[in-house]
Amino acid sequence: QVQVVESGGGLVQAGGSLRLSCTASGVTLDDYAMGWFRQAPGKEREGVSCISWSAYNTYYTDPVKGRFTVSRDNAKNTLYLQMNSLKPEDTAMYYCAAGYGGYRGLEARWYAYWGQGTQVTVSS
């Protein structure tokens, strides 16, 4: 059984930083592209960042470019999202997702396994 679990969320002041982690069991992440998505109250889920299985390719949605950095450690079966210069508009539930294959972009339909999410709240 595949399980994906996010951690690292919390409450932070605007301008602060958080590092999200995502670990997986029941699957070897070497074979999977990974993505971070978020959903704020009353809004649709949106893709934040994604990374190919080799980490060669990464992509960020415009609002987080230059502030967020995605990385992965396949030896630890773990995905990371370093979030700096956080803004109140970054407040959302953040989800990690795994999609089989080299690269999946930010379309949620390509990701088969999802975590339960970790809450990020940025106060002004």
Side-chain angles (χ1 to χ4, degrees), residues 1-9 19-27 29 34-36 76-81 93-98 113-119:
Q1 183 178 358
V2 177
Q3 281 193 317
V4 177
V5 179
E6 305 92 339
S7 62
R19 188 195 196 199
L20 305 184
S21 298
C22 169
T23 59
S25 59
V27 65
L29 289 186
M34 303 295 294
W36 286 102
K76 296 182 178 179
N77 237 28
T78 302
L79 174 74
Y80 303 99
L81 184 68
M93 185 72 78
Y94 282 71
Y95 299 91
C96 168
Y113 303 113
W114 293 77
Q116 294 298 307
T118 185
Q119 179 67 39

Side-chain angles (χ1 to χ4, degrees), residues 36 38 46-50 59-70 81-87 89-91 94 106:
W36 286 102
R38 66 186 181 186
E46 64 172 342
V48 175
S49 179
C50 58
Y59 181 81
Y60 302 90
T61 189
D62 285 345
V64 309
K65 282 181 181 177
R67 300 188 296 123
F68 290 11
T69 303
V70 63
L81 184 68
Q82 178 66 43
M83 305 187 296
N84 297 329
S85 302
L86 282 161
K87 303 176 181 180
E89 51 263 45
D90 294 318
T91 295
Y94 282 71
L106 286 180

Side-chain angles (χ1 to χ4, degrees), residues 102-120:
Y103 183 75
R104 287 298 180 194
L106 286 180
E107 287 191 49
R109 64 192 177 106
W110 296 118
Y111 292 84
Y113 303 113
W114 293 77
Q116 294 298 307
T118 185
Q119 179 67 39
V120 172

